[in-house]
Amino acid sequence: MNALPFVFAYPAILGALVALPIIWWLLRLTPPRPKTEVFPPLKILATVLKREETPAQSPWWLTLLRMLLATAVILAIADPVFNPRTNSIASGGPLVLFVDNGWATSPDWDRRVKTADALIDDAEAAGTPVAIAFTADPTNDAVPGTASVARDKLRAAEPKPLVPDRQRAFEALRTALNGVHPGTLAFLTDGAAATDNDATVRQLLDLSPAQLRLISGDAAETIAITSASNAADAMTVTATRLDSTSAASRPITAQDTQGRAIAAGSIDFQPGQSVATGSIAAPFEMRNDFARVSIDSHATAGAVHLLDDGFKRRRVVLLSGEVGDTFQPLLSPLYYIQRALQPYADLMEPNTPDLATSIPDLLSQNPSVIIMADIGRLPQQTYEPLQRWIGNGGTLVRFAGPRLAAAPADDPLVPVTLRQGERALGGALSWAEPQPLAEFPAFGPFAGMPKPTDITVKRQVLAEPTPDLAERTWASLADGTPLVTTKPINAGRIVLFHVSAEATWSDLPISGNFVEMLRRLVQLSRSGGVTAQTDGASTAEALPPFRLLTAKGALTTETGTARPLIPNAKVTPVASFDNPPGLYGSEEGFTALNVLPKNAELKPLDVSGTTVVREGLIGGETWSAKPTLFLIAFLLLLADSLVVMFMSGAFSRLRPAARAAAIVAVAFSAAFLLLQPGQSHADDAKPGDDQIFQRLDNTHLAYVVTGEQEVDRISERGLEGLTEFLTFRTTLEPSPPVGLDLAKDELAFYPIIYWPISATAPMPSTAAVNKIDAYMRAGGTVLFDTRDQFSALDNNGSSVSANGERLQQILANLDIPPLEPVPSDHVLTKSFYLLSSFPGRYTGSPLWIEARQENRAENAKSAATADGVSPILITGNDFAGAWAVDDNGVPMLPTVPPDEMQREYAYRSGVNIMMYMLTGNYKTDQVHVPALLERLGQ
């Protein structure tokens, strides 16, 4: 190869450059600029007669411009040729190309191809056969052949994201040569040793070539990341470089799964240092979103370090059995869970309280963990996808509460069989004292945590004793009863806390141990998310290739001939031909395999004790600069012409026309914009919106349309009668009542829904029941009325009426809390009128509401006996029958027994229920007024 970067094809032409001073003198002269004089003509004649035309001197910059034009023309005629080549290969044997095509050759691969192609051209001109072998290919056909065949192999080759396997390539080359000694053996190397004892140069010399050339690129560009760890306050990144002669600082960037840069840092190398460590400082939440770390401006597979699921935040779904209280957040079942997991996980909550809709939607987003706080019953259609999601690797964490305590014992989503009801510790009716926690067992995820000393449990749900209960218990109380139990299901598991998620049952949620326990449970879950759509029965250990890394450091879905990765706990996997670097697994979870193993170090190729010719890569193919120089000369000539025309005033007359053209263009543009049709901003009303807007103007009482004409007529007239009573007796003035179709209508606009139960009416659909469940979960109340004077909830052995059986069928699909008859001191008895019972047409049935959960003495008259509004009311007294009036205001149905005072009390019961719905425990809180006034000094 010629050492000069370029030569002139006609160097004699360069002699014209000596004429540049003469050209400089000639070019300084330019005609005078014409002047414009104002009339009168006599002054012009005087000027003509007195003044004489003389040439003016051209500006220096115009002279320089013309000198450059002349120089460009002279150089173009001399024809400079870059990268000139001469035939310099040795004779006496074939040309052998031993080419590295590993990850480090990616940045200058085109130059390597051109260098090899030039050598092949030399061999073709000399009629010499060519053999070629690539060190990062699994197989090589290195038998010497024609130059065209070698050129085809070179064009088909590409850099691979692997460390070169030079030993394999050398064995293939030696076998192909079969004792033939090469003429020129060119080793196009990346400059780095492939192994600790890389003897490739000595092995190539053993082939006895007439000439061994070592052709390499820029070693300063060879740098790779070898490890990355997520420390407490930053991510630590270790990198190694090939050229360690001088100090260097390399910026590094962390990217998310979409390839967006979200954090940055740097790695600083000192002189003589080949391995250095840098850091990326970022919040823990942001660091858990890192998907890869790369060195800026180095597009190689080695400069990219992939991060697998161990670096990702878990996606956690939070579900609750009741709506959160924004005014009293500490009483919300999810309050402490949210605060505990926010630093460690991505929290998701349903957009709608309808679990039949929200659970499938949340499962489609592939969460790792689902946490349920006091949910007793789920919609029936959600059990199968939840069980499938758990079987595929999901973790379900449940917390006890009143609803779970009242749920059926055959719930498939609890890890152990539970006794119905809860165990109270430390109350007036309990002999036991609140229990502390015992030591955590050594086999569970809480092993190693210190024994909590500040936690006591006052209430819990109990597990039925089974032979494997101790094995399933991860935490227990001092008396041996389980606190946390678990059950594996295929690849996933179910975990149950036998206490509530808020601080009414125990002190656990307000302790630091709660945060650590939840964090460990989340870390146990499958990172990267779990889908409910795949078959959870697969037990194959091999991880299929999911995304592979290209030589330029990009991820691709083309897996080619890559084989599944078989994890081995004893041996760290290393990138190879069968397992190229990339991500192995699936979208649900994957393992990262990087180019270099952890703590690897780049070292220069050992050439000590050998005689080689060192060369660099050529900059490109031979090319002439003549066309470029002529183009430059033409542009300079064009610029000179424009300058002369400008100085002579040729453009002065065009300025008014240009201004006029601009004005016309602006005018046309404005007219075009004004003539554009405006976009309509009319509201896109949906069907039924008008009806919704009409019902939002005031409070409406609502009832469920059963489909039976007489039942629906009594419900409508009954709520109409109660509406009139409320208007005359209270400040509440409701609008006419509304009949609801549960399958179609929106329920959220109504504070209470009256549901008359009829055994002969069609059974509500699953979707309708799910909407009612979501309505109750979001804070609404449903008043069920069996209208038969019987109580469907009494467990006294009496037979249940047909309407009572239908009510039980409906309630079996709802997640309802434990119920009790209205206590004598409940807010319902005094929200407006003072009542001791709640009659309707009949008087024999109690009014059932949500049971109170707090421990207190029987004679205690605490104001907080009902914190909030019960989501469910049940009666059999036929309220609507007692309230129903005709158009003249006359009662439609008689009371049983006939008693107008009973009808009055029925109306008063309706008023108290409405006030309870609209004010909650406001009336109960009035007992605190004396204490508040005393505190205020009044």
Side-chain angles (χ1 to χ4, degrees), residues 30 62 66 639-651:
T30 185
L62 181 60
R66 292 171 177 174
D640 180 81
S641 302
L642 293 175
V643 169
V644 172
M645 293 176 65
F646 182 82
M647 295 177 63
S648 63
F651 293 107

PDB file of all heavy atoms in Angstrom, residues 30 62 66 639-651:
ATOM      1  N   THR A  30     -10.999  46.720 -11.659  1.00  0.00           N
ATOM      2  CA  THR A  30     -12.400  46.434 -11.974  1.00  0.00           C
ATOM      3  C   THR A  30     -13.039  47.704 -12.488  1.00  0.00           C
ATOM      4  O   THR A  30     -12.630  48.819 -12.116  1.00  0.00           O
ATOM      5  CB  THR A  30     -13.162  45.942 -10.731  1.00  0.00           C
ATOM      6  OG1 THR A  30     -14.483  45.577 -11.112  1.00  0.00           O
ATOM      7  CG2 THR A  30     -13.239  47.013  -9.653  1.00  0.00           C
ATOM      8  N   LEU A  62     -12.843  40.388  -2.863  1.00  0.00           N
ATOM      9  CA  LEU A  62     -13.221  39.952  -4.199  1.00  0.00           C
ATOM     10  C   LEU A  62     -12.000  39.408  -4.934  1.00  0.00           C
ATOM     11  O   LEU A  62     -12.081  38.397  -5.654  1.00  0.00           O
ATOM     12  CB  LEU A  62     -13.845  41.120  -4.971  1.00  0.00           C
ATOM     13  CG  LEU A  62     -14.308  40.804  -6.392  1.00  0.00           C
ATOM     14  CD1 LEU A  62     -15.370  39.714  -6.378  1.00  0.00           C
ATOM     15  CD2 LEU A  62     -14.869  42.068  -7.070  1.00  0.00           C
ATOM     16  N   ARG A  66     -11.428  35.479  -6.385  1.00  0.00           N
ATOM     17  CA  ARG A  66     -11.002  35.111  -7.733  1.00  0.00           C
ATOM     18  C   ARG A  66      -9.702  34.317  -7.716  1.00  0.00           C
ATOM     19  O   ARG A  66      -9.492  33.442  -8.574  1.00  0.00           O
ATOM     20  CB  ARG A  66     -10.844  36.384  -8.567  1.00  0.00           C
ATOM     21  CG  ARG A  66     -12.187  37.064  -8.822  1.00  0.00           C
ATOM     22  CD  ARG A  66     -12.046  38.437  -9.444  1.00  0.00           C
ATOM     23  NE  ARG A  66     -13.362  39.010  -9.740  1.00  0.00           N
ATOM     24  CZ  ARG A  66     -13.550  40.246 -10.185  1.00  0.00           C
ATOM     25  NH1 ARG A  66     -12.488  41.051 -10.370  1.00  0.00           N
ATOM     26  NH2 ARG A  66     -14.762  40.694 -10.431  1.00  0.00           N
ATOM     27  N   ALA A 639     -20.516  32.801  -7.545  1.00  0.00           N
ATOM     28  CA  ALA A 639     -20.504  33.811  -6.480  1.00  0.00           C
ATOM     29  C   ALA A 639     -19.888  35.114  -6.973  1.00  0.00           C
ATOM     30  O   ALA A 639     -20.369  36.217  -6.675  1.00  0.00           O
ATOM     31  CB  ALA A 639     -19.737  33.279  -5.270  1.00  0.00           C
ATOM     32  N   ASP A 640     -18.799  35.034  -7.763  1.00  0.00           N
ATOM     33  CA  ASP A 640     -18.158  36.225  -8.299  1.00  0.00           C
ATOM     34  C   ASP A 640     -19.104  36.996  -9.209  1.00  0.00           C
ATOM     35  O   ASP A 640     -19.190  38.230  -9.150  1.00  0.00           O
ATOM     36  CB  ASP A 640     -16.890  35.831  -9.046  1.00  0.00           C
ATOM     37  CG  ASP A 640     -16.163  37.029  -9.643  1.00  0.00           C
ATOM     38  OD1 ASP A 640     -15.429  37.702  -8.885  1.00  0.00           O
ATOM     39  OD2 ASP A 640     -16.362  37.294 -10.843  1.00  0.00           O
ATOM     40  N   SER A 641     -19.841  36.274 -10.052  1.00  0.00           N
ATOM     41  CA  SER A 641     -20.785  36.923 -10.970  1.00  0.00           C
ATOM     42  C   SER A 641     -21.879  37.652 -10.201  1.00  0.00           C
ATOM     43  O   SER A 641     -22.257  38.786 -10.538  1.00  0.00           O
ATOM     44  CB  SER A 641     -21.397  35.885 -11.912  1.00  0.00           C
ATOM     45  OG  SER A 641     -20.399  35.222 -12.649  1.00  0.00           O
ATOM     46  N   LEU A 642     -22.392  37.029  -9.176  1.00  0.00           N
ATOM     47  CA  LEU A 642     -23.445  37.667  -8.381  1.00  0.00           C
ATOM     48  C   LEU A 642     -22.928  38.919  -7.677  1.00  0.00           C
ATOM     49  O   LEU A 642     -23.633  39.927  -7.575  1.00  0.00           O
ATOM     50  CB  LEU A 642     -24.004  36.668  -7.352  1.00  0.00           C
ATOM     51  CG  LEU A 642     -24.783  35.477  -7.931  1.00  0.00           C
ATOM     52  CD1 LEU A 642     -25.166  34.513  -6.817  1.00  0.00           C
ATOM     53  CD2 LEU A 642     -26.037  35.966  -8.660  1.00  0.00           C
ATOM     54  N   VAL A 643     -21.678  38.856  -7.177  1.00  0.00           N
ATOM     55  CA  VAL A 643     -21.101  40.013  -6.503  1.00  0.00           C
ATOM     56  C   VAL A 643     -20.953  41.180  -7.479  1.00  0.00           C
ATOM     57  O   VAL A 643     -21.283  42.334  -7.167  1.00  0.00           O
ATOM     58  CB  VAL A 643     -19.748  39.640  -5.856  1.00  0.00           C
ATOM     59  CG1 VAL A 643     -19.010  40.892  -5.399  1.00  0.00           C
ATOM     60  CG2 VAL A 643     -19.976  38.698  -4.686  1.00  0.00           C
ATOM     61  N   VAL A 644     -20.460  40.890  -8.672  1.00  0.00           N
ATOM     62  CA  VAL A 644     -20.272  41.947  -9.677  1.00  0.00           C
ATOM     63  C   VAL A 644     -21.608  42.558 -10.064  1.00  0.00           C
ATOM     64  O   VAL A 644     -21.755  43.790 -10.194  1.00  0.00           O
ATOM     65  CB  VAL A 644     -19.531  41.389 -10.904  1.00  0.00           C
ATOM     66  CG1 VAL A 644     -19.512  42.419 -12.046  1.00  0.00           C
ATOM     67  CG2 VAL A 644     -18.113  41.000 -10.535  1.00  0.00           C
ATOM     68  N   MET A 645     -22.622  41.725 -10.271  1.00  0.00           N
ATOM     69  CA  MET A 645     -23.946  42.242 -10.624  1.00  0.00           C
ATOM     70  C   MET A 645     -24.516  43.101  -9.507  1.00  0.00           C
ATOM     71  O   MET A 645     -25.138  44.144  -9.746  1.00  0.00           O
ATOM     72  CB  MET A 645     -24.885  41.083 -10.923  1.00  0.00           C
ATOM     73  CG  MET A 645     -24.517  40.300 -12.176  1.00  0.00           C
ATOM     74  SD  MET A 645     -25.597  38.864 -12.432  1.00  0.00           S
ATOM     75  CE  MET A 645     -27.148  39.696 -12.726  1.00  0.00           C
ATOM     76  N   PHE A 646     -24.286  42.684  -8.251  1.00  0.00           N
ATOM     77  CA  PHE A 646     -24.787  43.464  -7.118  1.00  0.00           C
ATOM     78  C   PHE A 646     -24.087  44.822  -7.034  1.00  0.00           C
ATOM     79  O   PHE A 646     -24.696  45.858  -6.804  1.00  0.00           O
ATOM     80  CB  PHE A 646     -24.590  42.677  -5.822  1.00  0.00           C
ATOM     81  CG  PHE A 646     -25.110  43.387  -4.610  1.00  0.00           C
ATOM     82  CD1 PHE A 646     -26.454  43.340  -4.271  1.00  0.00           C
ATOM     83  CD2 PHE A 646     -24.245  44.119  -3.799  1.00  0.00           C
ATOM     84  CE1 PHE A 646     -26.929  43.990  -3.163  1.00  0.00           C
ATOM     85  CE2 PHE A 646     -24.712  44.790  -2.688  1.00  0.00           C
ATOM     86  CZ  PHE A 646     -26.070  44.727  -2.362  1.00  0.00           C
ATOM     87  N   MET A 647     -22.740  44.810  -7.250  1.00  0.00           N
ATOM     88  CA  MET A 647     -21.978  46.059  -7.172  1.00  0.00           C
ATOM     89  C   MET A 647     -22.322  47.006  -8.312  1.00  0.00           C
ATOM     90  O   MET A 647     -22.213  48.232  -8.167  1.00  0.00           O
ATOM     91  CB  MET A 647     -20.474  45.761  -7.175  1.00  0.00           C
ATOM     92  CG  MET A 647     -20.007  44.999  -5.941  1.00  0.00           C
ATOM     93  SD  MET A 647     -18.250  44.596  -6.000  1.00  0.00           S
ATOM     94  CE  MET A 647     -17.520  46.230  -6.018  1.00  0.00           C
ATOM     95  N   SER A 648     -22.760  46.451  -9.439  1.00  0.00           N
ATOM     96  CA  SER A 648     -23.127  47.291 -10.567  1.00  0.00           C
ATOM     97  C   SER A 648     -24.549  47.804 -10.481  1.00  0.00           C
ATOM     98  O   SER A 648     -25.002  48.531 -11.372  1.00  0.00           O
ATOM     99  CB  SER A 648     -22.940  46.516 -11.885  1.00  0.00           C
ATOM    100  OG  SER A 648     -23.815  45.402 -11.910  1.00  0.00           O
ATOM    101  N   GLY A 649     -25.293  47.425  -9.429  1.00  0.00           N
ATOM    102  CA  GLY A 649     -26.653  47.918  -9.222  1.00  0.00           C
ATOM    103  C   GLY A 649     -27.698  47.178 -10.014  1.00  0.00           C
ATOM    104  O   GLY A 649     -28.799  47.677 -10.221  1.00  0.00           O
ATOM    105  N   ALA A 650     -27.395  45.949 -10.466  1.00  0.00           N
ATOM    106  CA  ALA A 650     -28.363  45.212 -11.276  1.00  0.00           C
ATOM    107  C   ALA A 650     -29.599  44.798 -10.490  1.00  0.00           C
ATOM    108  O   ALA A 650     -30.663  44.606 -11.066  1.00  0.00           O
ATOM    109  CB  ALA A 650     -27.681  43.982 -11.882  1.00  0.00           C
ATOM    110  N   PHE A 651     -29.456  44.661  -9.132  1.00  0.00           N
ATOM    111  CA  PHE A 651     -30.598  44.200  -8.331  1.00  0.00           C
ATOM    112  C   PHE A 651     -31.398  45.340  -7.720  1.00  0.00           C
ATOM    113  O   PHE A 651     -32.382  45.102  -7.030  1.00  0.00           O
ATOM    114  CB  PHE A 651     -30.102  43.295  -7.197  1.00  0.00           C
ATOM    115  CG  PHE A 651     -29.528  42.003  -7.686  1.00  0.00           C
ATOM    116  CD1 PHE A 651     -28.160  41.782  -7.649  1.00  0.00           C
ATOM    117  CD2 PHE A 651     -30.337  41.014  -8.202  1.00  0.00           C
ATOM    118  CE1 PHE A 651     -27.618  40.593  -8.101  1.00  0.00           C
ATOM    119  CE2 PHE A 651     -29.802  39.823  -8.648  1.00  0.00           C
ATOM    120  CZ  PHE A 651     -28.439  39.608  -8.594  1.00  0.00           C
TER     121      PHE A 651
END
